[in-house]
Amino acid sequence: MTDVPAPQPLMLFNSLTRQLEEFQPVHPGEARVYSCGPTVYNYPHIGNMRAYVFADTLGRTLSFKGYKLTHVINITDVGHLTDDADAGEDKMEKMAAEKAQSIWDIARHYTEAYWADVKALNIRQPAHWSIATDYVPQMIEFAKAIADKHCYELEGGLYFDTSTVSDYGALARAKTDEGEGRIDEVEGKRHAADFAIWRRTPAGETRQMEWDSPWGRGAPGWHLECSVMSEALLGFPFDIHTGGIDHREIHHPNEIAQNQAHSCSDASGARIWMHNNFLIERSGKMSKSAGEFLRLQLLIDKGYHPLAYRLMCLQAHYRSELEFSWEGLGAALTRLKRMYKAVAVRMWEEFQQKGDPIDAPSQYEPIARDKWHEREVLGYLQDFDEAVSDDLNTPKALVVIEAILGDPTISDRLRWHLIATIDQVLGLDLLQRKRTDLRIRPKAATITEEEIEAALTRRKEARAAKDFATSDKLRDELTAAGVEVMDGDPLGWDWRLEA
Ligand code: AMP
Ligand code: ZN
């Protein structure tokens, strides 16, 4: 029997040190992760969702490596201004005024929309969804604790003096361009990078969301919520803090400054800070206002299964920019279909050989890590472990899955166990769903699934009778209705409705 192999150390890129570092938990056997969540003033675009596919992959990897995971994602329903550098209006107040609705209704609607995307993308539920407005009293306490030593008051409220902590902005490493280049919109600020801890409601105005505080009635600054909620739910310090790369420049340096002030130390709050790179459009930055608003629902309306987008994200390393294109999404869908098909074809072959009902692959359990060495497929498990342990190298991990699906030398029972093990991290539901589940009817389609199936049956009969004229005519009719027919599929399933 082979010896139990040493586990691969989990190496993660820490934005603080700009280096790969081995994950060493604060609490042995546990992993505590905080991810900056959405500001629920609008639907998330698919770029935002890339940040959560990444956080989910990180969480799944930590579970796969045997850590007990506690993941927190916050919901920002107060405080985030239209400009991250503390200028402009509150995004929530602005949207509520535009729509003439209450902020609470706006928050509920867009939180639910975000949760629907989370579910569709197979992102696991975190242990806590922390809602910013639930923590305002704690934010006020936090602010009170740092106010004397680190803050000053202006007409607009309480501001954090970034010169009172050591090495402000080290995370961004862009003090010259970013900090000093930032437009100093608030009169009286001591340094351009100083930021609001509490925003006092201007005299004569009321806000929909406001609370009493020692600095007057008002609302908390955006950065405060993450310092407060991460400590309340994960302790101080905790293991990993994630967010999109834009947060490396302002939001996270400000969180770190608050944490240093509050803990009277140089501790940043999290041991490792991780940032996903952006999903971009050929035309530039993805935005909710410019051009076609790329929501997950738009992809679905055009006939793309959400898991194709999940796969598209996994095909790129999280630290690389990823350019969105419909062709790229189509290619990811085809790749996913091939994977599902490989599972289905193998089941079909097994059925042909046995002639009786076969076990559904979905019932196969993952192989426990302490049993890996007893299996002859140890090499695959190690290759996969090596890939994800190398700063979540999902592009490489996907190649391992495909090798397993195509390997003629292993038994199907073992194959399903292997895939069940690996798909815990990838979350592609390879054993749970059928390829036909990937078929989504585009909103604009005029033909029904039944009509397609009926036309395909008639076409098959025509071909069997060597009536090629009828067969070609049926195919042309299907093409005209937006149905692409792929011949040569042993399971006879393959057609796709174009949007
Ligand atoms: P927001 O709702 O604007 O606070 O953003 C939610 C998350 O999405 C944050 O972690 C952002 O850093 C991240 N994010 C924003 N735009 C993109 C993008 N185009 N690609 C990837 N992540 C993004
Ligand atoms: Zn945050």
Side-chain angles (χ1 to χ4, degrees), residues 329-373:
L329 184 64
L333 180 61
T334 302
R335 189 175 183 193
L336 190 60
K337 273 190 186 170
R338 286 213 180 100
M339 291 186 196
Y340 280 32
K341 182 172 165 182
V343 175
V345 167
R346 293 219 164 259
M347 278 188 68
W348 182 72
E349 282 169 0
E350 201 189 335
F351 179 69
Q352 297 280 305
Q353 284 159 18
K354 283 196 190 160
D356 43 65
I358 47 166
D359 300 337
S362 58
Q363 70 183 45
Y364 286 85
E365 295 286 320
I367 307 168
R369 193 171 274 266
D370 59 357
K371 299 275 186 293
W372 281 13
H373 62 292

Side-chain angles (χ1 to χ4, degrees), residues 210-272:
E210 47 181 13
W211 294 261
D212 286 323
S213 85
W215 316 281
R217 206 162 164 72
W222 171 41
H223 317 292
L224 198 52
E225 65 175 82
C226 292
S227 286
V228 168
M229 295 191 289
S230 62
E231 181 172 0
L233 295 164
L234 299 175
F236 190 94
F238 60 96
D239 295 302
I240 305 174
H241 196 313
T242 80
I245 196 144
D246 51 334
H247 287 349
R248 200 180 66 183
E249 308 307 320
I250 300 175
H251 180 49
H252 290 168
N254 291 356
E255 257 184 80
I256 291 174
Q258 292 168 162
N259 293 345
Q260 289 175 330
H262 194 248
S263 65
C264 303
S265 74
D266 285 342
S268 74
R271 282 210 177 151
I272 298 185

Side-chain angles (χ1 to χ4, degrees), residues 30-38 52 55 68-76 111 114-115 118 123-132 134-135 138 225-226 228-235 238 240 242:
E30 280 195 45
R32 302 187 184 188
V33 180
Y34 184 94
S35 301
C36 283
Y52 307 107
K68 181 179 164 289
L69 174 72
T70 310
H71 190 191
V72 175
I73 305 179
N74 70 292
I75 301 286
T76 298
T111 303
Y114 165 67
W115 282 338
V118 161
I123 292 168
R124 295 195 308 184
Q125 289 288 319
H128 306 276
W129 294 108
S130 57
I131 315 276
D134 288 345
Y135 285 83
Q138 290 94 318
E225 65 175 82
C226 292
V228 168
M229 295 191 289
S230 62
E231 181 172 0
L233 295 164
L234 299 175
F238 60 96
I240 305 174
T242 80

Side-chain angles (χ1 to χ4, degrees), residues 36-39 45 47-48 51-52 80 243-244 246-247 276-279 286:
C36 283
T39 306
H45 58 53
N48 299 129
Y52 307 107
H80 196 170
D246 51 334
H247 287 349
N276 63 278
N277 211 324
F278 266 15
L279 179 78
M286 188 153 293

Side-chain angles (χ1 to χ4, degrees), residues 53-67 69 71 121-125 310 392 422-429:
V53 171
F54 151 64
D56 180 52
T57 308
L58 171 67
R60 285 169 174 269
T61 301
L62 288 159
S63 301
F64 174 75
K65 304 288 284 182
Y67 297 102
L69 174 72
H71 190 191
L121 289 168
N122 231 2
I123 292 168
R124 295 195 308 184
Q125 289 288 319
R310 181 177 178 101
L392 316 180
I422 289 176
D423 202 33
Q424 293 178 109
V425 177
L426 300 177
L428 294 171
D429 273 1

